Amino acid sequence: MPPPSDIVKVAIEWPGANAQLIEMDQKRALSSIIREVCDGWSLSGSEQFALRYADGPQLYITEQTRGDIKNGTILRLAISPGRAARQLLERIQSHGIDARLEALKELAKLSADATFAAEFINMEGIGTLARLVESGTHFGEMLAFTLTAFLELMDHGIVSWDLISLSFIKQIAGYVNQPMVDVSILQRSLAILESMVLNSHSLYHRVAQEITVGQLIGHLQVSNQEIQTYAIALINALFLKAPEDRRQVSNEMASTLAQKHLRSIILNHVIRGNRPIKAEMAHQLYVLQVLTFNLLEERMMTKMDPNDQAQRDVIFELRRIAFDGENDPTGTEKRKALYSKDYKMLGFTNHLNPALDFTQTPPGMLALDNMLYLAKVHQDTYIRNHSTVMTLHYTLYCVFVIVANEGCNDYHPMFFTHDRAWEEFFCVCIQLLNKTWKEMRATAEDFNKVMQVVREQITRALLRGLNYSEILRLRQSERMSQDDFQSPPIIELRERIQPEILELIKQQRLNRLCEGSCFRKLGNRRRQEKFWFCRLSLNHKMLHYGDLDESPQGEVPFELLSDKIPVSDIKSVVTGKDCPHMKEKSALKQNKEVLELAFSVLYDPDETLNFVAPNKYEYCIWTDGLCALLGREMGSDLTRSDLDTLISMEMKLRLLDLENITIPEAPPPVPKEPSSYNFTYNYS
């Protein structure tokens, strides 16, 4: 008869003694179990002891987290969090250097535990660490462990960052500004400054006085990508939190970000470096791209003042460059008539007063800025295409929104290759418009159709170069899902081919599981990133998995994965809040995004393998694939999207009487849904 579900069999260790094998009744108070364990080793004062995991992060077990204990877990009897905090605090304040170093080393490890952190903070431990840093007497390992413990303790959110002193900030900033400083100290210093800026409005001003973007540039030229990532993250934080009422600060920062020096360093030392871009770096580059684009928003939302002579002179300059000022009549009336004709040829709607064309926001004054840049920098292109320049701006505004709000890792290297990247992008699009016009053999009546195709070319591929014929094929494919294909024969054909397409998707999912995926260790933040890899055996009988020191490039061989689970032992797959590692969501500080990417494999006897997918695509691949593996129905949004895409493709082929052409072996990539079209960025 199987044991009750509230009984778990564990081993408990104590230094110098044989381990105790006990059946832990989860209904009993934890203090009662600890007392019984202490009695087994004749230890008095059980209230001074606690249980911790023997492996991994070695977290303390509390009444709130004890439900995570599984059969076969190895635990360790240890002194209680309060007692440990008190002892470490005393040792840190001792005069012995060796004792202090060992205490700080242990503190850096224990500070990740929320239970211990609360006890240490209640004893004014953070103030003690801050004073050690402010003293300036700690160096090397001792300082690195001090900063690590400080950052871990503050990350729990128990105390406010506003309590940090100016002396502490100056000391941390000093480590960042030093030309030669230990890498571990520099990493932690950059991370602490970033957290200060992001978590405290008042600290932003203090940090901004000590650290400038120019001072961080040097840290982008090193070979250590972690240092580069922390440096860009701090640049982003300073830019993101610049107060709106201090426009001068924002303008200065915008000017710094636009400098060729900074841009070229990011391009040559980060993007074009010899190392692959890791996920966190890609995210920070995306944030920087968004913040840079948002500098254009003010001009985009600014209307032209028709009475502003300086702005009107820009329009006169556009006309002069396009028509070279030839045959300017001397009479006022003749000049007005000629100018009106010229403005019409330039594509302006308001021929008599073209300034009114720039009163629509968006694109506002950004359109005028782009036109003037094109006319001065790419004069030949402007003269050849002047009649279409004006009409492209609203299309580019839509592209701007998409570029600035894509997925969290979708940075575009092209926007780091030029000092005036957006203006150059506009110039390229003008040439694309002209090329597409010729491909479509368009006339004046076809202008709106051409603009629609150009917009699709830009927004679908962002300069991947889809021509008119490729856009035409895509649009024909999309029509298969529209209302004009809802007749009974079409519906019948769709129902007939759906099972074979669904089977194709299942096979593709299983193939992806055989390739395997890399997952982040739950609970590990960016500063201590750990990974593990999981893949399905080629005969679909085993799930192989194991820990990795870093994210792999490509497949991981089976021999490097030390653990495995027979597929026959898998009982079910659960997702979201039903996962064991998500049940204590508040304690683990899980956010909604993590909850939506979580899934677990439950297998005999009562074990689980817990996952947090890196993104929604991988989540759907794995949950669908595991369901297919267990012979159960798949149902993710990704599956339905793949299914609709492939059915549409197959129906098009059959309806065109091209049944000799087969559909691809795997579904095409599913386009990501664009984010909401706004110009704010959620940094968290």
Side-chain angles (χ1 to χ4, degrees), residues 379-670:
Q379 193 170 114
D380 290 343
T381 301
Y382 173 72
I383 292 173
R384 289 196 306 269
N385 301 280
H386 58 70
S387 62
T388 59
V389 169
M390 187 62 196
T391 53
L392 189 63
H393 281 95
Y394 189 76
T395 290
L396 286 190
Y397 159 71
C398 297
V399 176
F400 173 91
V401 175
I402 292 173
V403 171
N405 291 278
E406 281 187 303
C408 64
N409 288 332
D410 291 330
Y411 74 96
H412 298 283
M414 61 164 286
F415 291 117
F416 293 89
T417 59
H418 199 280
D419 297 339
R420 305 288 294 273
W422 179 257
E423 289 86 345
E424 286 294 314
F425 180 46
F426 171 76
C427 297
V428 170
C429 291
I430 287 292
Q431 297 178 61
L432 174 65
L433 172 60
N434 187 48
K435 179 174 179 291
T436 303
W437 185 281
K438 292 178 180 178
E439 288 179 348
M440 294 179 66
R441 299 179 182 177
T443 62
E445 290 76 16
D446 300 319
F447 188 82
N448 290 335
K449 294 179 182 179
V450 176
M451 290 302 300
Q452 185 179 3
V453 171
V454 170
R455 178 175 175 177
E456 285 191 60
Q457 285 176 299
I458 301 170
T459 57
R460 280 182 181 272
L462 279 174
L463 299 183
R464 280 191 307 174
L466 295 182
N467 57 32
Y468 170 61
S469 60
E470 290 170 320
I471 289 292
L472 184 61
R473 286 198 297 271
L474 285 171
R475 296 172 78 181
Q476 287 174 339
S477 176
E478 289 169 352
R479 291 195 190 102
M480 304 304 300
S481 60
Q482 297 176 356
D483 293 340
D484 56 344
F485 280 85
Q486 296 302 310
S487 62
I490 299 298
I491 294 175
E492 181 182 350
L493 175 59
R494 180 183 181 87
E495 292 175 350
R496 188 166 71 246
I497 65 177
Q498 179 165 330
E500 62 186 89
I501 301 296
L502 188 58
E503 182 61 30
L504 175 67
I505 295 175
K506 287 182 179 180
Q507 292 304 316
Q508 188 263 357
R509 296 292 192 267
L510 292 175
N511 290 341
R512 279 286 290 107
L513 264 60
C514 291
E515 295 174 7
S517 297
C518 180
F519 301 91
R520 291 188 182 185
K521 281 278 191 180
L522 183 64
N524 283 287
R525 292 181 291 276
R526 160 164 59 89
R527 300 172 183 88
Q528 296 178 339
E529 195 167 54
K530 299 293 182 182
F531 302 92
W532 65 289
F533 196 89
C534 186
R535 62 181 298 192
L536 179 65
S537 63
L538 299 180
N539 60 8
H540 296 181
K541 291 185 178 181
M542 288 284 182
L543 273 181
H544 296 259
Y545 63 97
D547 293 341
L548 301 173
D549 292 332
E550 58 182 19
S551 180
Q553 303 298 320
E555 292 185 7
V556 175
F558 288 109
E559 54 267 21
L560 295 183
L561 304 176
S562 56
D563 300 303
K564 60 184 178 181
I565 300 171
V567 172
S568 58
D569 288 351
I570 297 178
K571 295 188 291 188
S572 63
V573 177
V574 295
T575 61
K577 62 182 179 181
D578 294 328
C579 297
H581 58 312
M582 293 292 113
K583 290 186 177 178
E584 293 295 337
K585 183 180 66 172
S586 59
L588 294 175
K589 296 184 178 179
Q590 300 296 337
N591 57 35
K592 182 180 178 182
E593 180 182 359
V594 172
L595 194 64
E596 291 176 347
L597 298 177
F599 61 99
S600 297
V601 172
L602 310 184
Y603 62 97
D604 288 332
D606 288 307
E607 304 292 335
T608 63
L609 188 60
N610 298 318
F611 300 75
V612 175
N615 51 55
K616 190 66 175 177
Y617 182 82
E618 286 290 324
Y619 169 85
C620 294
I621 287 288
W622 274 85
T623 52
D624 283 349
L626 290 169
C627 287
L629 194 64
L630 300 178
R632 296 167 189 172
E633 183 178 354
M634 303 183 298
S636 73
D637 293 336
L638 190 59
T639 301
R640 288 192 290 271
S641 181
D642 282 353
L643 186 63
D644 289 340
T645 300
L646 284 176
I647 287 176
S648 296
M649 291 172 62
E650 180 69 356
M651 287 175 64
K652 176 185 175 183
L653 294 176
R654 296 189 183 191
L655 290 172
L656 294 175
D657 196 27
L658 297 174
E659 294 190 273
N660 58 317
I661 301 178
T662 58
I663 57 178
E665 294 181 1
V670 180

